Amino acid sequence: GPATTLGCSIFAPGTATAMLSHATEELAYVTSGQGELRMDGATVPYGAGQALFIPAGVWHAVVNTGDEPVTMVFAFPHPTYPPTERRPSEP
């Protein structure tokens, strides 16, 4: 509906996002590849065919630990990509 955002992300092998925190929850479905979701205090491995749920306000990073691209379809209960903070990188 008009209050939902749906998108797709592709992560090359060996890449990782910055630590992010969204104002809303996120649901992602992994369509290809494998990696890990790093959250404060937890690391969750994932692979093709799995869904990931990230609660609002949780710091997280998506990491591709495999040899092929990771493709994910994501959704937010927000009419656009939700307000997002990026944690400054550590020296």
Side-chain angles (χ1 to χ4, degrees), residues 73-84:
V73 176
F74 62 84
F76 294 102
H78 197 272
T80 60
Y81 194 85
T84 299

Side-chain angles (χ1 to χ4, degrees), residues 12-41:
T15 61
T17 66
M19 289 295 279
L20 305 172
S21 175
H22 306 296
T24 65
E25 62 195 25
E26 177 180 5
L27 181 63
Y29 181 76
V30 183
T31 59
S32 69
Q34 65 182 24
E36 57 190 31
L37 180 65
R38 295 180 184 163
M39 299 178 288
D40 284 338

Side-chain angles (χ1 to χ4, degrees), residues 50-88:
Q50 293 182 304
L52 303 169
F53 176 77
I54 305 162
V58 171
W59 288 99
H60 63 284
V62 176
V63 182
N64 180 340
T65 60
D67 296 330
E68 65 179 273
V70 166
T71 305
M72 292 183 181
V73 176
F74 62 84
F76 294 102
H78 197 272
T80 60
Y81 194 85
T84 299
E85 292 183 61
R86 291 186 187 279
R87 183 179 283 172

